[in-house]
Amino acid sequence: MRARTALTTVALALLALPVTGCGIRTTSVPVDAGAAPSRVPCNVAEAAAPATGVPVRAFLVCGSQLEPVDRRSPQPEDKASGDPVRTASALLAQLLAEPSEAERQAGFTTAVRAPLSVAGGRAGDPEGTLRLSRQPEDLAPAALSQLVCTFAESSAGAGGHTVLLAGPGAYPPKRYRCTTELRERPESAPPTAPAPTPAG
């Protein structure tokens, strides 16, 4: 009787072993989890850019950063040069336009959305001020970063990688700066400095 009880106990213990070992076991064998995500190239072939028009440079979003894209503006060169407001208008049109097929394939997007326009400063503004039809702070951070770097790196800028921007309200313009840090993190707020005091 004791032998039968001992055998029953051993049998029950053996049956319990597989149940207690039902966990996820580690393995040293590599597991194929699929291909790693490919890096966005952020590079448009020169052949993809149109050959006619005035050369301009716009900053678009690619790989969570701002990257410059060389384009051609249809605006006549004699009207584009020497007039910061015309230059800013032509550049804004580039930012509002959907990226080309080649740009999309390279990973480029734009955060700048219509309706949006740009005009010159009003009485009392420092020279070189550009006023947007919307308050700069009301724009999406990436959109404002695109505008700041695109304007600041052109003849519409105020020098030193900066641009004087304001909105339609009575608020004074601010000097926005395009920095390496902003280009790397366009979702952050562009650095500002007080605008120069108007002469007079």
Side-chain angles (χ1 to χ4, degrees):
M1 192 69 174
R2 288 181 181 176
R4 184 176 296 177
T5 303
L7 285 173
T8 302
T9 302
V10 171
L12 288 174
L14 290 173
L15 287 173
L17 283 176
V19 176
T20 58
C22 285
I24 298 175
R25 292 183 294 177
T26 59
T27 176
S28 60
V29 179
V31 177
D32 183 11
S38 59
R39 187 183 184 281
V40 179
C42 297
N43 187 20
V44 181
E46 289 185 18
T52 60
V54 180
V56 294
R57 175 165 286 188
F59 281 82
L60 302 182
V61 179
C62 188
S64 301
Q65 296 185 356
L66 291 187
E67 297 288 348
V69 172
D70 292 323
R71 288 180 172 177
R72 295 271 178 170
S73 170
Q75 190 173 38
E77 189 167 3
D78 59 337
K79 292 185 177 180
S81 60
D83 188 334
V85 178
R86 284 185 184 272
T87 299
S89 296
L91 290 170
L92 176 58
Q94 295 292 325
L95 295 177
L96 287 169
E98 289 295 323
S100 67
E101 181 62 28
E103 289 168 349
R104 284 196 298 272
Q105 290 182 1
F108 287 97
T109 62
T110 181
V112 182
R113 298 285 181 264
L116 187 64
S117 60
V118 61
R122 58 179 60 148
D125 285 345
E127 184 179 356
T129 295
L130 298 172
R131 283 194 173 265
L132 301 171
S133 59
R134 293 168 61 190
Q135 201 63 29
E137 294 80 7
D138 293 340
L139 299 173
L144 180 56
S145 298
Q146 281 184 256
L147 288 166
V148 167
C149 285
T150 300
F151 291 164
E153 302 301 324
S154 75
S155 59
H161 308 287
T162 68
V163 62
L164 295 171
L165 285 181
Y171 298 104
K174 294 179 182 177
R175 184 185 292 273
Y176 291 86
R177 187 178 301 278
C178 178
T179 62
T180 302
E181 291 75 17
L182 182 65
R183 291 174 60 172
E184 292 175 349
R185 292 184 291 277
E187 292 292 340
S188 60
T192 60
T197 305

